[in-house]
mmCIF file of all heavy atoms in Angstrom:
data_model
loop_
_atom_site.group_PDB
_atom_site.id
_atom_site.type_symbol
_atom_site.label_atom_id
_atom_site.label_comp_id
_atom_site.label_asym_id
_atom_site.label_seq_id
_atom_site.Cartn_x
_atom_site.Cartn_y
_atom_site.Cartn_z
ATOM 1 N N GLY A 36 -8.853 3.301 7.171
ATOM 2 C CA GLY A 36 -10.171 3.829 7.499
ATOM 3 C C GLY A 36 -10.101 4.854 8.613
ATOM 4 O O GLY A 36 -9.139 4.902 9.387
ATOM 5 N N PHE A 37 -11.131 5.662 8.708
ATOM 6 C CA PHE A 37 -11.244 6.655 9.783
ATOM 7 C C PHE A 37 -12.306 6.160 10.752
ATOM 8 O O PHE A 37 -13.494 6.096 10.433
ATOM 9 C CB PHE A 37 -11.632 8.018 9.213
ATOM 10 C CG PHE A 37 -11.737 9.098 10.262
ATOM 11 C CD1 PHE A 37 -10.607 9.570 10.895
ATOM 12 C CD2 PHE A 37 -12.970 9.626 10.614
ATOM 13 C CE1 PHE A 37 -10.697 10.559 11.872
ATOM 14 C CE2 PHE A 37 -13.083 10.614 11.581
ATOM 15 C CZ PHE A 37 -11.936 11.080 12.221
ATOM 16 N N GLY A 38 -11.878 5.789 11.956
ATOM 17 C CA GLY A 38 -12.799 5.287 12.971
ATOM 18 C C GLY A 38 -13.514 6.414 13.689
ATOM 19 O O GLY A 38 -12.950 7.496 13.888
ATOM 20 N N THR A 39 -14.756 6.154 14.102
ATOM 21 C CA THR A 39 -15.547 7.200 14.763
ATOM 22 C C THR A 39 -16.078 6.780 16.129
ATOM 23 O O THR A 39 -16.971 7.431 16.667
ATOM 24 C CB THR A 39 -16.728 7.641 13.875
ATOM 25 O OG1 THR A 39 -17.610 6.529 13.670
ATOM 26 C CG2 THR A 39 -16.241 8.167 12.531
ATOM 27 N N TYR A 40 -15.535 5.703 16.708
ATOM 28 C CA TYR A 40 -15.968 5.325 18.055
ATOM 29 C C TYR A 40 -15.667 6.471 19.018
ATOM 30 O O TYR A 40 -14.567 7.020 19.036
ATOM 31 C CB TYR A 40 -15.253 4.050 18.494
ATOM 32 C CG TYR A 40 -15.601 3.588 19.884
ATOM 33 C CD1 TYR A 40 -16.935 3.428 20.274
ATOM 34 C CD2 TYR A 40 -14.613 3.311 20.815
ATOM 35 C CE1 TYR A 40 -17.260 2.999 21.551
ATOM 36 C CE2 TYR A 40 -14.917 2.880 22.093
ATOM 37 C CZ TYR A 40 -16.241 2.730 22.458
ATOM 38 O OH TYR A 40 -16.573 2.317 23.731
ATOM 39 N N LYS A 41 -16.652 6.851 19.807
ATOM 40 C CA LYS A 41 -16.595 7.965 20.774
ATOM 41 C C LYS A 41 -16.535 9.338 20.109
ATOM 42 O O LYS A 41 -16.389 10.344 20.806
ATOM 43 C CB LYS A 41 -15.438 7.788 21.763
ATOM 44 C CG LYS A 41 -15.617 6.585 22.693
ATOM 45 C CD LYS A 41 -14.578 6.547 23.788
ATOM 46 C CE LYS A 41 -14.850 5.390 24.746
ATOM 47 N NZ LYS A 41 -13.835 5.304 25.817
ATOM 48 N N THR A 42 -16.631 9.392 18.790
ATOM 49 C CA THR A 42 -16.779 10.688 18.139
ATOM 50 C C THR A 42 -18.162 11.229 18.473
ATOM 51 O O THR A 42 -19.164 10.549 18.243
ATOM 52 C CB THR A 42 -16.630 10.562 16.609
ATOM 53 O OG1 THR A 42 -15.291 10.141 16.320
ATOM 54 C CG2 THR A 42 -16.905 11.878 15.912
ATOM 55 N N PRO A 43 -18.276 12.421 19.034
ATOM 56 C CA PRO A 43 -19.573 12.889 19.503
ATOM 57 C C PRO A 43 -20.494 13.335 18.377
ATOM 58 O O PRO A 43 -20.044 13.714 17.288
ATOM 59 C CB PRO A 43 -19.204 14.084 20.396
ATOM 60 C CG PRO A 43 -17.925 14.598 19.804
ATOM 61 C CD PRO A 43 -17.189 13.382 19.325
ATOM 62 N N GLU A 44 -21.784 13.271 18.661
ATOM 63 C CA GLU A 44 -22.759 13.868 17.763
ATOM 64 C C GLU A 44 -22.559 15.384 17.761
ATOM 65 O O GLU A 44 -22.118 15.979 18.742
ATOM 66 C CB GLU A 44 -24.185 13.553 18.243
ATOM 67 C CG GLU A 44 -24.757 12.265 17.635
ATOM 68 C CD GLU A 44 -25.288 12.498 16.232
ATOM 69 O OE1 GLU A 44 -24.445 12.683 15.328
ATOM 70 O OE2 GLU A 44 -26.500 12.496 16.030
ATOM 71 N N GLY A 45 -22.893 16.022 16.655
ATOM 72 C CA GLY A 45 -22.847 17.475 16.617
ATOM 73 C C GLY A 45 -21.647 18.010 15.856
ATOM 74 O O GLY A 45 -20.999 17.310 15.080
ATOM 75 N N GLU A 46 -21.354 19.283 16.108
ATOM 76 C CA GLU A 46 -20.375 19.995 15.297
ATOM 77 C C GLU A 46 -18.962 19.430 15.416
ATOM 78 O O GLU A 46 -18.221 19.404 14.438
ATOM 79 C CB GLU A 46 -20.387 21.483 15.665
ATOM 80 C CG GLU A 46 -21.687 22.189 15.306
ATOM 81 C CD GLU A 46 -22.104 21.953 13.861
ATOM 82 O OE1 GLU A 46 -21.234 22.070 12.960
ATOM 83 O OE2 GLU A 46 -23.276 21.629 13.623
ATOM 84 N N VAL A 47 -18.567 18.984 16.610
ATOM 85 C CA VAL A 47 -17.226 18.407 16.760
ATOM 86 C C VAL A 47 -17.094 17.157 15.891
ATOM 87 O O VAL A 47 -16.087 16.954 15.197
ATOM 88 C CB VAL A 47 -16.926 18.082 18.238
ATOM 89 C CG1 VAL A 47 -15.640 17.268 18.361
ATOM 90 C CG2 VAL A 47 -16.811 19.360 19.055
ATOM 91 N N GLY A 48 -18.131 16.327 15.915
ATOM 92 C CA GLY A 48 -18.109 15.121 15.095
ATOM 93 C C GLY A 48 -18.109 15.428 13.613
ATOM 94 O O GLY A 48 -17.355 14.823 12.835
ATOM 95 N N VAL A 49 -18.957 16.363 13.210
ATOM 96 C CA VAL A 49 -18.999 16.752 11.792
ATOM 97 C C VAL A 49 -17.635 17.275 11.348
ATOM 98 O O VAL A 49 -17.109 16.893 10.290
ATOM 99 C CB VAL A 49 -20.091 17.810 11.538
ATOM 100 C CG1 VAL A 49 -19.965 18.382 10.129
ATOM 101 C CG2 VAL A 49 -21.473 17.204 11.732
ATOM 102 N N ALA A 50 -17.036 18.129 12.163
ATOM 103 C CA ALA A 50 -15.735 18.712 11.812
ATOM 104 C C ALA A 50 -14.657 17.645 11.691
ATOM 105 O O ALA A 50 -13.799 17.718 10.793
ATOM 106 C CB ALA A 50 -15.337 19.758 12.846
ATOM 107 N N SER A 51 -14.671 16.649 12.581
ATOM 108 C CA SER A 51 -13.618 15.631 12.534
ATOM 109 C C SER A 51 -13.749 14.763 11.284
ATOM 110 O O SER A 51 -12.734 14.456 10.632
ATOM 111 C CB SER A 51 -13.648 14.762 13.793
ATOM 112 O OG SER A 51 -14.820 13.975 13.860
ATOM 113 N N VAL A 52 -14.958 14.367 10.930
ATOM 114 C CA VAL A 52 -15.144 13.555 9.718
ATOM 115 C C VAL A 52 -14.810 14.377 8.482
ATOM 116 O O VAL A 52 -14.171 13.883 7.543
ATOM 117 C CB VAL A 52 -16.573 12.981 9.657
ATOM 118 C CG1 VAL A 52 -16.797 12.236 8.341
ATOM 119 C CG2 VAL A 52 -16.831 12.045 10.834
ATOM 120 N N LYS A 53 -15.219 15.659 8.459
ATOM 121 C CA LYS A 53 -14.862 16.520 7.332
ATOM 122 C C LYS A 53 -13.346 16.668 7.207
ATOM 123 O O LYS A 53 -12.801 16.633 6.096
ATOM 124 C CB LYS A 53 -15.508 17.895 7.485
ATOM 125 C CG LYS A 53 -16.977 17.969 7.101
ATOM 126 C CD LYS A 53 -17.477 19.402 7.152
ATOM 127 C CE LYS A 53 -16.785 20.286 6.120
ATOM 128 N NZ LYS A 53 -17.241 21.695 6.189
ATOM 129 N N THR A 54 -12.658 16.828 8.345
ATOM 130 C CA THR A 54 -11.200 16.935 8.310
ATOM 131 C C THR A 54 -10.582 15.675 7.723
ATOM 132 O O THR A 54 -9.642 15.737 6.920
ATOM 133 C CB THR A 54 -10.635 17.191 9.718
ATOM 134 O OG1 THR A 54 -11.114 18.452 10.199
ATOM 135 C CG2 THR A 54 -9.113 17.201 9.713
ATOM 136 N N ALA A 55 -11.114 14.513 8.128
ATOM 137 C CA ALA A 55 -10.607 13.251 7.587
ATOM 138 C C ALA A 55 -10.779 13.204 6.076
ATOM 139 O O ALA A 55 -9.850 12.844 5.338
ATOM 140 C CB ALA A 55 -11.310 12.076 8.245
ATOM 141 N N LEU A 56 -11.951 13.585 5.595
ATOM 142 C CA LEU A 56 -12.203 13.558 4.155
ATOM 143 C C LEU A 56 -11.334 14.578 3.425
ATOM 144 O O LEU A 56 -10.808 14.305 2.340
ATOM 145 C CB LEU A 56 -13.684 13.804 3.880
ATOM 146 C CG LEU A 56 -14.629 12.694 4.368
ATOM 147 C CD1 LEU A 56 -16.079 13.142 4.272
ATOM 148 C CD2 LEU A 56 -14.422 11.410 3.563
ATOM 149 N N GLU A 57 -11.151 15.748 4.017
ATOM 150 C CA GLU A 57 -10.288 16.757 3.407
ATOM 151 C C GLU A 57 -8.825 16.300 3.373
ATOM 152 O O GLU A 57 -8.068 16.661 2.472
ATOM 153 C CB GLU A 57 -10.417 18.076 4.168
ATOM 154 C CG GLU A 57 -11.762 18.763 3.965
ATOM 155 C CD GLU A 57 -12.039 19.839 5.000
ATOM 156 O OE1 GLU A 57 -11.167 20.056 5.887
ATOM 157 O OE2 GLU A 57 -13.122 20.452 4.940
ATOM 158 N N THR A 58 -8.433 15.489 4.369
ATOM 159 C CA THR A 58 -7.072 14.955 4.422
ATOM 160 C C THR A 58 -6.849 13.913 3.338
ATOM 161 O O THR A 58 -5.709 13.698 2.915
ATOM 162 C CB THR A 58 -6.812 14.344 5.816
ATOM 163 O OG1 THR A 58 -6.932 15.376 6.802
ATOM 164 C CG2 THR A 58 -5.436 13.709 5.919
#
Side-chain angles (χ1 to χ4, degrees):
F37 181 70
T39 63
Y40 179 52
K41 294 189 176 179
T42 295
E44 269 279 72
E46 294 309 314
V47 170
V49 170
S51 67
V52 175
K53 281 186 64 182
T54 297
L56 293 170
E57 290 164 0
T58 298

